[in-house]
Amino acid sequence: MSITNSSFRPVGAYIQEKTYWIPDYQREYSWDADEQVEDFWMDIESLIEEGRKQHFFGQIVVHVDNEDEKYYIIDGQQRTSTSIIFLSVINNLFKEMENEYKSARNRCEDIRLKYIGRFSEEENELKLFMGKIDREYFQDNIQAGIPQDDNNQSSPSHKRIKKAFYYFDKKLREKVNTTQEISERYKVLNLYYKTFIEKFQVMYVETDDINEAFIIFETLNDRGKALETADLLKNHVLRRSGDRIDTVKGNWEKILDVLDNIDTTKFIRHYWNATSKFTRERDLYKRIRDKISNAKESEEFTFNLIKAAKVYKSLVNPNDETYFLDSELVNTLIKLNEMGARSFYPIILAMSHCNFNDQDILKVTKALEVLVLRNFVVAGKVANKYEIVFAKIAYNISHREYLTAEQIVGAINKEIISDEEFFNAFTTFTIKKTSIIRYILSKINNSLNSEVQIVDNNDKVHIEHIMPKGKGDWNINDEDHQRYLWRIGNLTLLGAEYNRKNSNKLFEDKKEMYSKSKIDISNVLTKYNKWNIKEIEERQKELAKLAKDIWAIRS
C-alpha cells in the first residue's frame, strides 16, 4: 500500500497540521445530539473524572490528492466536524471571558488560528471544508461564530449541526457557571479544552492513492463498527470506478438526492433482490463487492440505481410521488403502503427494470393487494417469510423467465391462501389499525353500492364501534368487551350523520343514527333488534362472505 503517513496522534495535532476537505460525495453531518454527540461528551467527562491519560477517538483516513493539492477525509468526517463544533463552542465561551481575563483572549486566538481558521471575503483559511450540502452553513454558523436562528433551514443536517453546537454549549456552561470567579471559570473551561486536544487520540492514516484509501477504510470498518452497508458499498464502487470516478460520484449523489431521507441500504438491498439472487442485509456488501470489479460495472451499477431510486421512492411514498401515471395503480400502491407491505418491492423494481408498462404493473399490484390482505392482514402470516418468495419472482422477471404480467400474477396467486382459510380467518378477525379498518369496510360497502362510493377522507368518514369503547350501561363483562371490541364485525363507517355524543349510547338508541346513514353497511344495521356477541359474530360471517368475493384470486 502507498501509505505516506501513519501514526497515533492527539486530535489537536491532527486538526492543526493541515487543511482538510470532506468530499462532496460523502454523507452530510449525521451525528445526533441524543446519541453520538452525547457519547462524545461522556467520553470527555469520563476521561476527566477517571484521570486517564488518553482516549482513543477513532481512525482518520486521508487521501492526499497531488493534483489539486488537497487533503480529503475518506473516513472520520463525522469525528472531525464534531471536533470543530466542540472547539467553536469553547472558543465562544473563552471569548465571553476575554474582556475580564487576558488568558481567555489568548486562548481565543490560539483556537481560531490552530483549529478553526480564518474566513473573510478576502481570504479563506479555514482548517476544515465540509461537503457541498453543509459547507456554507458550517462556515457561516460554526466556524464564523454562533448558529443564527433559521426556521427555514434547507437541510436536516444543518439542524443536527445546530443541535450539536447547543448541546455542547449547554453542557460546558453548566460546568463553567458553577463559580462566579472568572479565574475559576477559565480554569474549568481550559481543562475541557486541554483534555480534548491533548488526550483524545486518533489513528491517522494518509495515502496518495485513492484506491488504497478506500481499501484502508473498508479494512478498518470491517468489524466492530456499526457502519451502514450503503457507506461501504459507496466506497467500494468509487474504488473500482477508475477513470470514471467523477461520473460514479455524480451518480451516487443523484441517488441520494432522489431518495432524500429514505434508507439507502434498504433500497439497495431491495434493488439487489430484484435483479440478483436473494440475500440478507448482512451479506449484501460481500455479494455486491464480489460482483462489481471494474470501472464499467461501477458506472452501470450506479446508473441502474438512479432509475430504480425513482421507482423505489414512489413505492415508499406513493401519496407524494408521481413516477407512475396511472391513477388506479397509484391508489393500489397507497393501499399496499397503508397495509404496511414492503417485501413486494423487488417485484415492482424488477418489472420497471424490464420496462413493463403501468397497466401490467397494475395487474400485478392488484394480485399483491389480494395476497397482502388475505395472507398478512387477515390470516396473520409473517410477511418476512415472503421476502424470499417475492425475490424469486423478481429474479425470474429480471432474467426473462416471466415475460408477461399474467405469468407474474400466476406466480403470486400460487402463494395466496385458500378461500376456506381466508373465510375462517376473517370470521374471527380483529384489527386496531384505523387505515386498514377504513380500507376493508370501504371496499365491502362499495361492493354493495357501486353508485355511492365512500370518500376516502378521515374528516368525512368516521370509524364507529357499534359496541362502544366505553361500555357504560352495556350488559357485557370486561373480558368479552375487550375480546369483541375490535372485531371487524363490531366496526362500521359513518359519514355526516356521525355524532360523537351518540357513540357511547346503547344500541337501541344508536339505531336512529344508523338509519340516517347513506353508507349501506351502517344503514343495514337497523335490521338488528339488539347487539351482543351473537350479532357481532353473525355480522362478521356476512362480511367474510363478501370479503371472499372482493379479494378473490383472479388470473
Side-chain angles (χ1 to χ4, degrees), residues 1 210-220 235 239:
M1 289 185 183
I210 184 65
N211 289 327
E212 297 298 345
F214 289 138
I215 290 172
I216 295 166
F217 170 82
E218 292 177 12
T219 302
L220 292 173
N235 283 282
R239 175 161 61 90

Side-chain angles (χ1 to χ4, degrees), residues 416-431:
I416 300 175
I417 62 175
S418 68
D419 285 350
E420 182 182 5
E421 186 177 355
F422 176 54
F423 178 83
N424 290 335
F426 201 98
T427 57
T428 57
F429 178 45
T430 298
I431 179 69

Side-chain angles (χ1 to χ4, degrees), residues 274 277 350 391-403 411:
K277 291 289 188 181
K392 184 177 180 180
I393 293 172
Y395 182 86
N396 287 337
I397 295 168
S398 297
H399 290 76
R400 306 303 193 271
E401 293 294 327
Y402 297 150
L403 299 175

Side-chain angles (χ1 to χ4, degrees), residues 133-144:
I133 294 174
D134 295 329
R135 186 171 301 159
E136 184 177 350
Y137 181 84
F138 201 80
Q139 288 177 356
D140 294 344
N141 293 276
I142 300 300
Q143 291 159 308

Side-chain angles (χ1 to χ4, degrees), residues 145-390:
I146 298 174
Q148 302 299 309
D149 289 331
D150 182 4
N151 295 324
N152 297 312
Q153 293 165 331
S154 59
S155 169
S157 62
H158 298 170
K159 295 178 182 179
R160 289 191 288 268
I161 291 169
K162 185 176 180 180
K163 283 183 69 175
F165 181 96
Y166 282 111
Y167 177 92
F168 290 137
D169 183 79
K170 179 176 181 291
K171 292 294 185 181
L172 286 167
R173 285 183 188 278
E174 288 173 354
K175 297 295 180 181
V176 170
N177 291 338
T178 55
T179 176
Q180 294 296 316
E181 290 292 329
I182 187 68
S183 59
E184 288 300 314
R185 290 164 58 202
Y186 171 84
K187 184 177 179 181
V188 171
L189 187 59
N190 196 52
L191 173 63
Y192 280 85
Y193 167 61
K194 298 282 284 184
T195 297
F196 177 65
I197 63 170
E198 294 177 359
K199 295 187 177 182
F200 266 50
Q201 299 281 317
V202 297
M203 182 176 70
Y204 180 88
V205 181
E206 184 180 291
T207 175
D208 58 7
D209 186 325
I210 184 65
N211 289 327
E212 297 298 345
F214 289 138
I215 290 172
I216 295 166
F217 170 82
E218 292 177 12
T219 302
L220 292 173
N221 288 286
D222 187 49
R223 293 184 303 166
K225 183 173 181 287
L227 193 73
E228 280 289 329
T229 300
D231 292 317
L232 290 172
L233 289 171
K234 175 193 67 178
N235 283 282
H236 175 72
V237 297
L238 289 173
R239 175 161 61 90
R240 293 299 187 189
S241 61
D243 59 0
R244 304 187 191 190
I245 189 168
D246 289 337
T247 300
V248 175
K249 282 181 188 177
N251 288 346
W252 200 273
E253 290 172 15
K254 289 176 184 177
I255 293 163
L256 297 182
D257 285 343
V258 171
L259 292 176
D260 197 10
N261 291 320
I262 295 172
D263 190 304
T264 310
T265 298
K266 288 181 179 177
F267 157 63
I268 296 174
R269 179 168 173 258
H270 277 131
Y271 170 76
W272 178 265
N273 286 340
T275 56
S276 305
K277 291 289 188 181
F278 175 81
T279 186
R280 302 286 183 190
E281 184 176 326
R282 64 176 179 268
D283 301 318
L284 182 62
Y285 171 65
K286 182 177 183 297
R287 294 281 181 86
I288 297 179
R289 183 188 64 187
D290 292 343
K291 184 174 182 178
I292 298 173
S293 59
N294 57 51
K296 181 181 178 181
E297 290 170 348
S298 294
E299 185 178 45
E300 183 179 355
F301 180 68
T302 53
F303 270 128
N304 288 336
L305 284 179
I306 293 172
K307 178 185 176 183
K310 296 173 183 176
V311 180
Y312 193 78
K313 192 173 185 180
S314 71
L315 299 177
V316 176
N317 303 314
N319 286 293
D320 304 327
E321 298 304 314
T322 56
Y323 180 85
F324 295 112
L325 301 179
D326 186 282
S327 59
E328 189 177 1
L329 170 56
V330 173
N331 188 57
T332 305
L333 291 173
I334 289 171
K335 297 308 177 188
L336 286 166
N337 186 269
E338 289 176 351
M339 289 189 282
R342 304 286 184 272
S343 52
F344 73 93
Y345 288 171
I347 293 177
I348 309 303
L349 291 172
M351 293 186 74
S352 296
H353 181 73
C354 294
N355 299 315
F356 280 79
N357 61 37
D358 281 13
Q359 284 303 305
D360 283 336
I361 295 175
L362 174 60
K363 293 175 186 176
V364 171
T365 55
K366 286 292 186 183
L368 287 166
E369 183 182 7
V370 172
L371 184 148
V372 169
L373 187 283
R374 290 171 69 132
N375 292 34
F376 303 166
V377 176
V378 175
K381 303 289 184 182
V382 179
N384 290 343
K385 291 183 179 180
Y386 286 82
E387 268 197 318
I388 298 174
V389 173
F390 291 154

Side-chain angles (χ1 to χ4, degrees), residues 431-432 434 437 463-474 476-478 481-482 484-486 490-491 498 500 503-505 510:
I431 179 69
K432 292 185 178 181
T434 57
I437 295 169
I463 294 171
E464 157 79 351
H465 287 75
I466 304 168
M467 176 180 66
K469 293 180 182 178
K471 67 177 189 174
D473 294 329
W474 283 64
I476 187 170
N477 62 57
D478 290 342
H481 179 256
Q482 290 301 313
Y484 283 89
L485 179 64
W486 290 97
N490 186 55
L491 304 171
Y498 176 76
R500 187 177 295 275
S503 62
N504 286 325
K505 290 184 177 181
K510 298 173 80 172

